[in-house]
């Protein structure tokens, strides 16, 4: 298991057998080949991966204890300039047998719930705690973060299949500055990416995809979208922890 000081990994670490397990080296190779494909829809991710600006971490089936420190170390990157648009990708050790979308969605929310339970900093008092509130956002260490799930069970939405691992992508809200849903630059960038996503997936945009702050939208629903064009129903699996 990684020590606390080595929980956050670089591109070089991900191919070093002295630093990471063999299964992660294999999964990272698939990830790298996928996101650097010239037709990959997210050119921000493609550029960041090619330039070595992304960060990574991993958890095993039995041990998730590395995750809080990894996310905390990742957020520390934004404390001082230059403010590069980093993203964090957390790989979970692959299952012995591939599950379906609901299996990976359940595991995804269990991981976010665990991370929340381990968070030593309070949830910002001015921020909604109810995921059904249109301004709810996931927070860790006081920072709002967009988290999105990727899994091998995605058969139609190929952009969400990054290999045999469940992969959680973490993007702090601060990296979207100037690219917000209501800003001209954000609208144009978002539409270009979505056009490319629809072409890759050969599916229309998922109905739960929108921008943060949309009063008719629940942010949590686009954290782990369906492999279809059906809106997600039901309550959010995430529960705000009870303070003792």
């Amino acid at each position: 298991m990684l020590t606390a000081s080595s929980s956050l990994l670089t591109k070089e670490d991900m191919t070093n057998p002295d630093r990471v397990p063999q299964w992660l080296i294999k999964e990272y190779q698939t990830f790298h080949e996928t996101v650097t494909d010239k037709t990959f829809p997210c050119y921000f991710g493609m550029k960041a991966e090619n330039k070595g600006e992304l960060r990574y971490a991993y958890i095993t089936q039995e041990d998730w204890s590395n995750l809080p420190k990894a996310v905390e170390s990742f957020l520390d990157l934004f404390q001082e300039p230059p403010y590069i648009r980093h993203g964090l990708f957390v790989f979970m050790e692959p299952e012995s047998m591939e599950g379906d979308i609901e299996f990976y969605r359940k595991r995804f929310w269990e991981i976010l719930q665990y991370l929340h339970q381990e968070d030593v900093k309070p949830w910002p008092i001015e921020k909604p705690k109810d995921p059904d509130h249109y301004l709810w956002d996931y927070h860790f260490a006081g920072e709002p973060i967009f988290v999105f799930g990727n899994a091998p069970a995605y058969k139609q939405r190929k952009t969400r299949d990054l290999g045999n691992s469940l992969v959680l992508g973490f993007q702090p809200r601060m990296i979207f500055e100037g690219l917000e849903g209501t800003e001209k630059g954000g609208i144009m960038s978002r539409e270009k990416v979505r056009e490319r996503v629809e072409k890759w997936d050969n599916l229309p945009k998922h109905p739960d995809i929108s921008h943060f702050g949309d009063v008719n939208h629940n942010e949590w629903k686009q954290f782990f979208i369906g492999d279809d064009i059906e809106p997600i129903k039901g309550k959010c699996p995430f529960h705000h922890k009870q303070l003792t």
Side-chain angles (χ1 to χ4, degrees):
M1 189 177 71
L2 292 177
T3 62
S5 61
S6 61
S7 56
L8 195 64
L9 301 166
T10 65
K11 185 176 182 178
E12 290 72 31
D13 293 328
M14 296 295 277
T15 57
N16 184 349
D18 294 328
R19 295 277 286 131
V20 299
Q22 194 60 44
W23 67 260
L24 184 58
I25 293 175
K26 181 182 177 183
E27 291 307 315
Y28 172 69
Q29 182 178 3
T30 301
F31 170 91
H32 175 79
E33 290 174 355
T34 301
V35 302
T36 58
D37 185 302
K38 290 181 180 178
T39 64
F40 189 68
C42 183
Y43 38 75
F44 296 114
M46 183 195 308
K47 181 180 178 183
E49 171 63 12
N50 280 324
K51 294 178 70 175
E53 294 174 353
L54 300 181
R55 293 296 180 268
Y56 319 88
Y58 74 91
I59 55 178
T60 67
Q61 293 290 329
E62 296 80 20
D63 188 358
W64 302 355
S65 60
N66 177 60
L67 184 59
K69 183 60 182 177
V71 179
E72 184 181 335
S73 298
F74 172 66
L75 292 173
D76 285 344
L77 297 176
F78 299 89
Q79 299 304 310
E80 297 178 3
Y83 299 113
I84 299 171
R85 285 199 170 98
H86 296 283
L88 169 65
F89 287 87
V90 177
F91 292 74
M92 185 174 197
E93 181 184 12
E95 307 292 329
S96 56
M97 289 184 63
E98 183 182 309
D100 60 12
I101 286 289
E102 285 307 316
F103 173 86
Y104 289 106
R105 179 181 282 128
K106 182 174 183 290
R107 184 58 57 88
F108 171 89
W109 284 107
E110 287 172 347
I111 293 169
L112 287 191
Q113 189 70 48
Y114 168 81
L115 185 61
H116 173 60
Q117 294 295 140
E118 297 297 314
D119 193 357
V120 297
K121 292 188 179 179
W123 194 274
I125 194 168
E126 72 280 8
K127 300 298 183 181
K129 296 178 181 178
D130 180 3
D132 282 333
H133 192 291
Y134 76 97
L135 288 177
W136 179 89
D137 206 358
Y138 186 79
H139 286 73
F140 182 78
E143 288 292 335
I145 306 173
F146 176 69
V147 192
F148 59 102
N150 309 271
Y154 282 103
K155 304 305 180 186
Q156 298 187 86
R157 296 194 178 277
K158 302 292 188 184
T159 46
R160 296 286 182 131
D161 177 7
L162 299 177
N164 297 310
S165 287
L166 170 64
V167 181
L168 289 78
F170 290 76
Q171 296 177 307
R173 283 286 165 202
M174 66 182 84
I175 73 170
F176 299 117
E177 192 170 328
L179 296 174
E180 291 90 347
T182 54
E183 296 289 330
K184 184 178 179 181
I187 293 170
M188 291 177 62
S189 298
R190 192 171 65 253
E191 290 308 313
K192 284 181 181 177
V193 169
R194 286 176 182 169
E195 284 176 14
R196 288 162 62 101
V197 167
E198 288 184 22
K199 185 175 180 180
W200 244 58
D201 293 345
N202 197 27
L203 275 181
K205 181 186 75 171
H206 193 279
D208 289 316
I209 296 291
S210 184
H211 65 269
F212 182 70
D214 182 347
V215 295
N216 299 309
H217 168 70
N218 291 125
E219 187 71 2
W220 68 268
K221 291 183 178 180
Q222 66 175 349
F223 277 25
F224 203 110
I225 59 174
D227 195 26
D228 49 31
I229 54 172
E230 296 299 319
I232 293 173
K233 296 180 174 63
K235 300 288 288 183
C236 179
F238 178 81
H239 298 282
H240 196 276
K241 63 184 175 182
Q242 299 296 316
L243 298 177
T244 56

